[in-house]
Amino acid sequence: MTVLATPYIAEVEASVEQLVYVRDDEYTVARMSSDALPSFVASGRPLAGAQPGETLRLAGEWDDHPRHGSRLVVRRCERIVPSTVRAITLYLGSGLIRGIGPRLAHAIVSHFGERTLTVVDTEPDRLREVVNIGAARQAQIVQAWAEQKAVADLMVVLQGFGISPLLAAKIYQVYGNDSREVLTRDPYRMIGQVRGIAFRTADRIALRSGVPEHSPQRIKAAVVDRLETAAARDGHCFLPLPALLAATASLVEQDEEAVRRAVDALAAERGLVVETSPTGPGHAVYAKEHHGREVALAGHLTRLWRARSTLPLRAFAEDEGLHEDQRMAVNLVLTSTLSILTGGPGCGKSHTVRVIAATVRAMGGTVTLTAPTGKAAKRLSELTGLPAMTVHRMLAQQPEPEEGTLFQQSPTEADLIVVDEASMLDLQLATRLTAAIPSGSHLLLVGDSDQLPSIGPGSVLADLLRVEEVPRVRLTHVFRQAQDSGIVRAAHRIRTGELPALPGRGGFWFEELDDPEQVADRVVHLATEAIPRKQNVGSDRVQVLCPMRKGATGTVELGRRLQERLNPAREGTPEHWSGPSVFRVGDRVMPIRNNYDKGVFNGETATVTAVNPQDRLVEIRTGDGETVAYSFDELDELTHSYAISVHRSQGSEYPFVVAPIVAEAGGVMLRRGLLYTLVTRAKAWVVLVGQREALELAVHRLGHRRNTGLALRLTLNLDR
């Protein structure tokens, strides 16, 4: 240890043994070691991005921590090349260099000693002097070494710009050897291409690199960012021109005239589309891809609506077991090539779909049942007794066209295609779906229009319900068996803007607590102990749903607490930290991005089955029983599912649901559609814990209407 000029500042060179804790704001706690200090704890935000095996030069103050003992509070952190045999062995065996595990690391360092890294860097052919290293393994090690050096170099550059070093691996994953040039010469290019980099991050780099504040390039990037943010955060397909000008001008602190010139330039370059607003006076500005999809979707829906049916018969034999509105729905689907079936819980949507499917099959027709998520598809299959698949898998099973025929025995060729949980269809998925369905097939969209809209931009189901020409039936009769459910009763009261009977009964319960910390404690206790014990079920049968992401009762903090309670760290068991998330065998996770190469899709449920530091892989098993591998650099495509947002729960049903209801940060997410969706995710019991005023706020506050033009486009098409 070297004491610097300031008496309270110490400088230490040490290796990272283990990450203990990483917070959302990048505050990191790590267990360190060196030849002089066998074991100590260091903490602080400068440690952000540190990985086990790295050697760091740390400067900070020592203090005594009640849990960790002697601790170095880090003020400055610098990554350095390990130089001692011990540090080099730890570095190579940590998993930082893919293809080298602890045993091989020991063999390499035993052979080359303190010159090991010099040999790897400048004489890589000599690695084959070590037993068990052939040409293939040597090439793997050399490539991994080059990648690690490049990422470490990017970390230094990012820290120089005051940017999180955690972004380095993501940038390298996208741009490879061009990463440094893109980062320093064209940082705006990273917006939308690198997860975690939006305009403010790219702009900070650009301004510090000398880009003028009034640069047209800068203002164009800000315009695109405002459109993308509106789509990702609020689900808008377009922004009214005045709103876009004002938002962009505020972001870049420039006048609106300069922004208008940037919008005109982007439109001339065909990067965006400016047209008469479909929802009011003035102009609307679309990102090019959203405009193209909206126009295409309206066209495909029009084609399906006008097509002649392929069904061999259209007569329907009366079924005395159906309510009048259910019989109306069956007849409608058999006679209309495009139709909608909607209604709340307990109104018989699933039974109606079962009768429709059975009738079409009895007529000699074919049926494909599908839903946006795996859980929704599985539930549809269980309720109807027929096979069902996700929309993504249905589209993936389309064969290549042969002999001039568009479809060859594809699920999309069926006489009837039923899409359940249609409120989840965003603009992109709906466009792909309708494009794949041949003219003459019947498309039935089934969903609850009072639920939350899709995660992605658009409000497809709601838009179609605004078009009078689109045939639809809304089921309103609540059947007797459903009337006894407290969940169904509460849901229907919420839908009409009424507060459910409190504290509740028969499957719905509200427990009033005011303090968010106490609410969080109670939610964790209910999910991990009280409900599993009382209901004699495993904790995996209880799902925590959160209206918010941040705060004591948000998905991040509650998810962390639930993970520590249900799947804590175990001595000798590998784990891997990716940002503020730690992955362990047994963790409940879900993909948050569609990955067609891996065959996994947003919202599927999965369990971590392996964490392999040597190959830098995490393996998961999906609900379909498929094993899928993610590299450590791809883990931002996964999220833990101990506590998830209500939006991510769409299409799923859980035996028991526990949810915090508090007005943290103003309760901006507490809206009627969110509460209604939350309550209807539970099958047996839903327990809400929190503030009565927050519950009342959620019941009475309506959500915003998304900016979309689909309803108008479709209306104009159908009127022609």
Side-chain angles (χ1 to χ4, degrees), residues 484-520:
D484 295 331
S485 166
I487 294 172
V488 172
R489 288 196 303 272
H492 281 282
R493 288 181 67 89
I494 292 167
R495 184 181 65 81
T496 57
E498 298 177 83
L499 195 68
L502 302 179
R505 64 183 178 86
F508 174 86
W509 189 260
F510 176 71
E511 187 170 323
E512 189 168 359
L513 285 174
D514 187 61
D515 179 62
E517 293 290 345
Q518 292 181 342
V519 171

Side-chain angles (χ1 to χ4, degrees), residues 92-258:
L92 291 181
S94 66
L96 280 170
I97 307 301
R98 187 173 56 254
I100 302 180
R103 294 178 66 178
L104 185 57
H106 179 75
I108 294 172
V109 178
S110 294
H111 187 77
F112 297 113
E114 293 182 353
R115 294 195 67 252
T116 295
L117 297 184
T118 301
V119 170
V120 174
D121 196 34
T122 62
E123 303 175 86
D125 289 345
R126 292 193 60 196
L127 286 170
R128 297 175 66 176
E129 297 174 11
V130 180
V131 177
N132 292 329
I133 296 183
R137 178 65 63 88
Q138 177 212 346
Q140 182 185 32
I141 292 172
V142 170
Q143 180 181 352
W145 167 257
E147 290 174 357
Q148 178 62 22
K149 283 181 62 181
V151 170
D153 178 57
L154 285 176
M155 283 183 164
V156 174
V157 176
L158 287 170
Q159 285 177 314
F161 287 120
I163 304 298
S164 169
L166 294 175
L167 294 170
K170 298 177 184 179
I171 295 170
Y172 187 82
Q173 193 174 8
V174 175
Y175 300 113
N177 293 332
D178 296 330
S179 297
R180 182 158 186 163
E181 183 172 355
V182 171
L183 180 64
T184 56
R185 296 193 178 186
D186 191 10
Y188 295 118
R189 179 178 164 191
M190 296 186 292
I191 300 173
Q193 295 185 2
V194 179
R195 285 178 61 83
I197 295 186
F199 177 80
R200 291 189 185 277
T201 299
D203 194 45
R204 182 187 301 180
I205 297 171
L207 292 177
R208 293 191 179 187
S209 299
V211 174
E213 291 185 0
H214 55 274
S215 163
Q217 176 195 21
R218 177 175 184 251
I219 301 175
K220 286 181 185 178
V223 169
V224 173
D225 175 80
R226 291 301 84 190
L227 287 173
E228 291 179 348
T229 299
R233 185 185 62 198
D234 300 317
H236 294 313
C237 294
F238 70 84
L239 282 178
L241 179 58
L244 177 61
L245 296 179
T248 307
S250 175
L251 181 63
V252 295
E253 298 181 340
Q254 301 292 314
D255 60 71
E256 290 190 11
E257 184 55 39

Side-chain angles (χ1 to χ4, degrees), residues 532-544:
R533 182 175 62 247
K534 184 173 183 178
Q535 301 294 332
N536 194 28
V537 297
S539 59
D540 60 335
R541 305 282 285 173
V542 184
Q543 181 62 57
V544 173

Side-chain angles (χ1 to χ4, degrees), residues 452 544-550 553-555 558 644-647 658-664 667-671 674-675 678 688-689 694 698:
L452 287 171
V544 173
L545 302 181
C546 302
M548 306 286 289
R549 181 179 181 274
K550 296 185 177 180
T553 59
T555 57
L558 274 178
I644 62 175
S645 69
V646 180
H647 243 130
V658 183
I661 303 293
V662 298
E664 285 190 284
V668 293
M669 296 301 293
L670 292 176
R671 301 179 187 274
L674 180 140
L675 182 62
L678 188 163
L688 308 181
V689 182

